[in-house]
Amino acid sequence: MRFDGEFELEDVPPEKAWIVLSDPVAVRNSLKGCKYITPKDESFGFDDYEPDEDAETLPEADPEVVAARAFEEGKEYAALMQVGVGSVKPRFETTVTITERDPEQFLMTAVGSGSASGSSFSMDSGMRIHPSDGGEGSRIEWWTEADVSGRIAQLGSRVIDPVANKIVTNFFKDIERQMSDVDEGTDSGLTDRLRGLL
């Protein structure tokens, strides 16, 4: 299955959009059904990990803290997702690796896989932020190739597609809100500092 699209942010420049989309906490907060996204090592246990539910995001968060937890190229992350698809509400234990992260081109790609009782998936996804044509805003291009098997796959695209589209639409609406908050709450000096840290 392939999902892709573009999203316009009228007044948020690519530099600030990149900062928000580089923050695992901001992404988690915008992704319905996502309990956490955190670096994963050999000792990581999905059942043992306790996420910080109250972790601050920009503009309230300390820029040094946001920069320290930003996605890193080559790093592996654990994400716990629970999303209802039809009558099924699986709990996906997901591993994601950032395969490319280019702050000059505002490009990030990732591969991942996850499993739940009777279902599994693998994915190859990415996003690129472009300056909007003739404006101060951004155009975010995103794509995901997913291979789903098991109980969820049996539901078919007629059931899966609307759920996926709703998750993506809600994600970008919430990301836009966060980006607007960052745009209003941070000056250009802070943005430049964060860009340097990231």
Side-chain angles (χ1 to χ4, degrees):
M1 277 183 257
R2 180 174 174 88
F3 304 96
D4 56 35
E6 291 187 351
F7 191 77
E8 296 277 350
L9 297 167
E10 288 184 12
D11 300 314
V12 182
E15 294 80 8
K16 290 189 177 180
W18 177 254
I19 288 167
V20 173
L21 286 166
S22 294
D23 181 2
V25 175
V27 171
R28 174 202 74 184
N29 291 351
S30 296
L31 197 54
K32 182 176 172 55
C34 184
K35 306 302 181 189
Y36 57 76
I37 303 172
T38 189
K40 184 182 182 203
D41 58 24
E42 290 179 9
S43 64
F44 183 85
F46 281 95
D47 291 327
D48 303 327
Y49 182 73
E50 292 289 334
D52 181 359
E53 303 285 352
D54 301 318
E56 290 185 329
T57 54
L58 292 171
E60 290 81 15
D62 181 338
E64 304 278 344
V65 171
V66 173
R69 72 185 181 212
F71 289 117
E72 293 178 34
E73 187 173 308
K75 198 165 190 174
E76 197 171 65
Y77 294 84
L80 185 63
M81 294 282 301
Q82 189 158 17
V83 181
V85 183
S87 61
V88 183
K89 193 169 185 181
R91 178 180 180 265
F92 279 101
E93 297 179 351
T94 307
T95 300
V96 177
T97 302
I98 305 299
T99 50
E100 184 177 6
R101 188 174 180 281
D102 185 340
E104 299 302 317
Q105 299 293 321
F106 302 119
L107 171 70
M108 188 156 42
T109 61
V111 295
S113 60
S115 61
S117 56
S119 299
S120 64
F121 78 93
S122 61
M123 62 150 199
D124 188 340
S125 62
M127 64 135 199
R128 186 167 188 171
I129 307 170
H130 306 270
S132 58
D133 299 333
E136 298 294 316
S138 305
R139 178 173 58 85
I140 301 172
E141 174 190 5
W142 64 271
W143 60 92
T144 296
E145 288 272 3
D147 185 15
V148 183
S149 61
R151 290 179 66 197
I152 290 181
Q154 291 169 5
L155 295 171
S157 61
R158 186 176 56 82
V159 175
I160 296 171
D161 287 359
V163 173
N165 288 330
K166 184 176 181 182
I167 291 169
V168 168
T169 300
N170 289 341
F171 172 77
F172 279 112
K173 278 183 182 172
D174 197 80
I175 282 289
E176 182 176 26
R177 180 193 58 75
Q178 289 193 59
M179 288 177 181
S180 297
D181 290 347
V182 170
D183 194 44
E184 292 168 6
T186 58
D187 58 30
S188 59
L190 178 58
T191 301
D192 292 344
R193 182 171 155 224
L194 264 167
R195 287 268 293 146
L197 291 168
L198 292 170

